[in-house]
Amino acid sequence: MLRHSRNHTRFSTLMLLPTCILLLAVALPAPAETGDKIVYAYFLDNPTTTIHISWISHSPDPVVFQIRQDGADRWQELKITRKSGIPGSDRTLFEVKLEGLKPGSSYESRFGTDGSTMRFRTLPAELDQPIHFVTGGDLYHNADLMTPTTKAAATKDPYFAVIGGDWAYADGNPEHVGRWFELFGIWQEHMVAGDGYLVPFIPAIGNHEVQGGYNQTPDKAPLYFTFFDKPGKRTYFAVDVGNYLSIIVLDSHHLAPIHGAQAQWLKEALSVRQDTPHVFPVYHVPAWPSFRSFTNSYSTLVRTHWVPLFEEYGVNLSFENHDHTFKRTKPIRNDKVDPEGVVYIGDGAWGVATRKDENAHTRWYIEKVSDDHHFWEIILYPESRIVQAFNPKGELLDFFEQTIRTPRARDVFGIADRVDDIPDRVLLSQNYPNPFNPVTTISFFLPPDSGSARVRLEVFDLYGQRIATLVNAPLRAGAHTVTFDTRDFPVTSGTYVYRLQYQGETRSRKMQIVK
């Protein structure tokens, strides 16, 4: 059972997506247009009002940084909030921390007064439309491994990425800082959403960010703290988005012990977020490993000190990494399979050489395991979430739904909380909300097939007249979400039909518009 408790496809010309649901992200032109700058963005604070925008430059000279809200005439010049040398490099890092932004709003930014513009948006303060993001870890052994997964993740148009550590495999060594530049360059070039947004990070730490890997002090992770300006150099923290989402970032014994102060902080953090419908811990070393020994010391510590807190405070989904595999556990509670338990997904295989334990599938807690490179996509709804994984070819590896159990809870596809096989049929959800005015969301699921197939999603009145074509494009398997905004169409109050056509199959449902 969830504590209270879908892939989002955005179409630049086919889907009518209101700006209020878009997450804060940074829009970039092609990398060449930013000159010698490598630009990235990340969240440490409230993404509805705050973002860090950083750039790595060959020049030590600062540039003018300006922003303006969409529709405004005047640019506002902002002070650079951080300038730092980069250990092991002659490059300079600059950063602007933008605060006090308006939730659910869109902005432009630029370097200099004549430079090309970038755009970013704030997240809404309420989850009144679906929000989706990607997660994974163990990013960069080399470009050949990282780039395909990054490109595939970008096709999902994620609003942000939760990264569970082991970034550039520089091991905290300034002599290897170039690996971080390569990673950020790949991200800037390839992790660009369909409408041009560079995807921000929420950054957890792993052993390969730290000299010595485990049980070290912050001075042993100079590159991580250069690129991500965490006050007090504390590696466990929470990122809260409105009243609907909390990402609980944890340190699996790299710079902070798993037990003691961090465990006490985790208990308090989960306790005060019991009314938040979507709460996800993310950390590097898995409680439930899919390759390494089940009894390794750090996994044992996580199971001893963190897992009971996840279970006590109603966490139902946790992000793990480190083992370089694709993994989903069965729902676990009190060290046994329990439908009311926590599902753990992982295990850190974004852009690294993968591993395979031929006997991993025999571990009692493993539901699925393989040596596939992958990323996970999480789609949040007010009363449910969809979780799915894709490989670098964009092929669906896994899919399940979790429903928030309240009196208002709804089963989006009629398969809520199923965590066994990927559905083998086309599914069309009831639109939400319904009745509605002026915006509603339609979700559908396409089963695995040999490749992309054309999908049509249309809206008709009761006389059979087509009102809108929301989708007419080839799509891959998985869950997709489309927003229907009636303000763009001449509709009145009444009943309408939306119809999905895919590979000779047709699904239809009715919706009610109330003006």
Side-chain angles (χ1 to χ4, degrees), residues 87-202:
S89 168
D90 59 359
R91 301 191 194 187
T92 303
L93 184 136
F94 297 93
E95 184 170 291
V96 174
K97 181 180 180 181
L98 299 176
E99 299 179 284
L101 302 172
K102 184 178 179 181
S105 299
S106 181
Y107 294 81
E108 290 181 290
S109 66
R110 66 183 181 183
F111 299 112
T113 57
D114 298 319
S116 57
T117 61
M118 304 175 291
R119 303 183 68 235
F120 62 88
R121 303 175 196 263
T122 52
L123 278 70
E126 297 183 0
L127 185 60
D128 50 8
Q129 293 291 333
I131 293 295
H132 67 291
F133 62 92
V134 296
T135 185
D138 302 81
L139 255 62
Y140 179 70
H141 270 175
N142 58 57
D144 289 342
L145 293 175
M146 178 180 173
T147 300
T149 308
T150 306
K151 286 182 174 180
T155 66
K156 304 302 176 184
D157 294 341
Y159 299 135
F160 64 99
V162 178
I163 304 300
D166 277 12
W167 293 70
Y169 285 77
D171 297 317
N173 189 343
E175 294 181 3
H176 300 157
V177 67
R179 297 186 59 83
W180 280 92
F181 299 155
E182 293 161 5
L183 180 153
F184 287 136
I186 291 170
W187 197 268
Q188 175 176 326
E189 180 177 0
H190 297 296
M191 184 56 109
V192 180
D195 49 6
Y197 294 107
L198 181 67
V199 179
F201 304 111
I202 293 179

Side-chain angles (χ1 to χ4, degrees), residues 417-431:
D417 294 329
R418 254 182 53 177
V419 291
D420 45 2
D421 295 326
I422 298 173
D424 60 0
R425 64 191 189 280
V426 176
L427 304 171
L428 179 64
S429 74
Q430 185 62 54
N431 64 299

Side-chain angles (χ1 to χ4, degrees), residues 476-487:
R476 287 193 176 272
H480 302 264
T481 299
V482 178
T483 299
F484 177 41
D485 189 337
T486 62
R487 290 171 294 191

